[in-house]
Amino acid sequence: DETHVTFKNGISAGTVLLFKKGAVIASGQPAGTVPSTQFEVLNLASEFYGRSSMIDTAKPVILKGYTSLNDGGFGLFQYDLSISRRDANGGTLIDPTVSITQQGTGLGQGVWVRQYEHRISPLWFGVQDVLVHNMIAMGTPRHGDMLEVEGYHSVNDGGEGTFYWNETIPKNLHDGGAIIDPMQPYPAVWNNTQNMNDWFRPNPMGTGCWVRQGSHIARAEWFGATANGQDISLTMQGITNAIKNGTVDALAFGKGEYLFSGPGRLVITSRTEHFQLLGSAHDSKLVFIPGCARTPISFAECKGVDIKDMVSLNRNGAEDILELLNCSDVKIEDNEFYNFTDGGIRLQENTAG
């Protein structure tokens, strides 16, 4: 989309060229060196402070980095006197009358506006990575803004994906994975019960959410689940919300062991649409150990349930780990179940598919 080149020799040292779609659209010199007739160059975002009156506000500014050079915060800015400083977010709208850490507290009109089409990045706001937890750092985006997230907890951990901002989506559809309200408090400690409840519990008021693009087959990793020996039961709250809201029609587990050791449950009730619980060619293992909830996976009064290619290991004694109650068109195929004694699967008043 946009890139820049700084010349150390040949062309005047320090010259910056801004390219867009193969064409040079601006060029300039760092502030305090050779004057530019097109724009000024700032090294860091903190240098915007005081620049509503110190420079020609009709002249664009190129920012070379947010907290350090070439850290992903690079961009082209234009001053706009019509925008309230209360709307400043420190990334796409920067108020020059207050420090970069106090954005949104200034009075009056006039902010520096980042020039971009739709693709947005958390790096523009001074964060260090493009993961789900930094989606809450970006204030209120514009309609149609696109965000490419590189992972949930770490890069390429299965939680990566593309999101679009939709200001009309009710915040009560937030599920922490497929639809994300950036005003929700991301857990300070992952798998802390209170922190997780606060994250996955949607706000009943207002609109405006990030919406994940893709099929209605959700990956467990979209909601922060991992196959690395950590409990995933508390992420079931977000997945339950997404299924209840009709956001996803299937849940897929990848390769590895997914551990249920906490109180969270996947509860699916009164669905009129077909739902699938899918594994990955018997490489997906759900492991239930003492401490997990009684019946951590439950289907009730659902029309159409497929459970396929899963491996379930019951280390939870006599407790049931799966129940299907009064469901129609049920298919349980190509699954493996181990270590079941008195408990295991509870089937009651279902009809087969």
Side-chain angles (χ1 to χ4, degrees):
D1 288 331
E2 294 182 0
T3 189
H4 73 287
V5 178
T6 302
F7 292 90
K8 294 183 178 179
N9 49 50
I11 299 177
S12 300
T15 296
V16 176
L17 302 181
L18 179 65
F19 294 87
K20 187 168 185 179
K21 296 180 179 179
V24 178
I25 60 172
S27 63
Q29 293 288 331
T33 59
V34 180
S36 168
T37 59
Q38 294 192 39
F39 64 85
E40 286 208 31
V41 177
L42 302 182
N43 287 318
L44 306 178
S46 59
E47 297 173 19
F48 275 108
Y49 183 44
R51 288 190 171 266
S52 57
S53 58
M54 293 176 62
I55 64 173
D56 180 4
T57 55
K59 182 186 297 185
V61 163
I62 278 188
L63 179 66
K64 296 174 69 175
Y66 201 89
T67 58
S68 62
L69 295 178
N70 304 317
D71 62 0
F74 169 82
L76 176 67
F77 289 79
Q78 182 73 54
Y79 198 74
D80 191 329
L81 280 167
S82 69
I83 299 177
S84 170
R85 289 171 178 154
R86 291 292 186 184
D87 293 334
N89 55 32
T92 57
L93 302 174
I94 297 181
D95 174 7
T97 67
V98 297
S99 71
I100 202 67
T101 61
Q102 296 178 309
Q103 295 295 297
T105 65
L107 301 176
Q109 306 282 115
V111 298
W112 288 98
V113 180
R114 185 183 289 268
Q115 305 300 296
Y116 68 102
E117 293 182 354
H118 292 292
R119 190 185 303 270
I120 193 171
S121 171
L123 301 179
W124 296 352
F125 297 80
V127 300
Q128 301 303 309
D129 51 51
V130 189
L131 303 176
V132 166
H133 67 94
N134 279 324
M135 294 173 71
I136 65 175
M138 300 188 297
T140 302
R142 305 179 312 189
H143 175 76
D145 276 352
M146 180 180 71
L147 171 64
E148 293 184 352
V149 174
E150 296 177 351
Y152 207 99
H153 306 286
S154 59
V155 175
N156 296 326
D157 64 358
E160 62 272 11
T162 300
F163 291 80
Y164 285 87
W165 177 256
N166 189 328
E167 69 277 7
T168 69
I169 297 292
K171 291 183 179 295
N172 63 13
L173 295 182
H174 164 85
D175 53 41
I179 296 179
I180 294 180
D181 173 9
M183 304 306 292
Q184 289 296 107
Y186 187 87
V189 179
W190 191 258
N191 269 347
N192 173 279
T193 300
Q194 186 59 56
N195 287 179
M196 297 285 277
N197 287 341
D198 291 343
W199 168 240
F200 287 117
R201 184 187 300 117
N203 186 339
M205 305 293 290
T207 60
C209 293
W210 288 104
V211 180
R212 187 186 289 267
Q213 300 303 293
S215 73
H216 278 223
I217 300 177
R219 300 180 61 174
E221 286 81 1
W222 287 6
F223 301 85
T226 58
N228 62 1
Q230 294 189 31
D231 174 47
I232 70 165
S233 72
L234 293 174
T235 66
M236 294 299 110
Q237 180 179 346
I239 296 172
T240 296
N241 291 345
I243 296 168
K244 178 182 68 176
N245 295 332
T247 307
V248 300
D249 297 325
L251 175 63
F253 290 91
K255 296 181 179 180
E257 291 192 354
Y258 297 85
L259 186 66
F260 286 77
S261 62
R265 301 176 69 218
L266 176 63
V267 180
I268 305 172
T269 60
S270 303
R271 272 187 62 90
T272 58
E273 300 294 331
H274 210 89
F275 185 81
Q276 296 177 298
L277 189 63
L278 304 172
S280 177
H282 293 199
D283 290 324
S284 306
K285 297 179 175 63
L286 305 187
V287 182
F288 305 89
I289 69 173
C292 75
R294 179 177 176 82
T295 320
I297 301 178
S298 174
F299 294 86
E301 299 182 355
C302 295
K303 296 181 179 179
V305 178
D306 287 355
I307 302 176
K308 187 176 181 180
D309 290 334
M310 303 291 297
V311 176
S312 297
L313 306 176
N314 184 16
R315 299 174 185 164
N316 199 33
E319 300 289 351
D320 294 328
I321 56 98
L322 169 66
E323 67 179 6
L324 292 103
L325 309 176
N326 196 27
C327 296
S328 61
D329 192 15
V330 175
K331 296 180 182 179
I332 303 177
E333 58 179 325
D334 295 330
N335 296 278
E336 299 177 15
F337 300 92
Y338 295 95
N339 298 340
F340 289 88
T341 54
D342 295 333
I345 303 175
R346 181 186 178 200
L347 304 175
Q348 180 177 319
E349 298 183 7
N350 302 289
T351 61

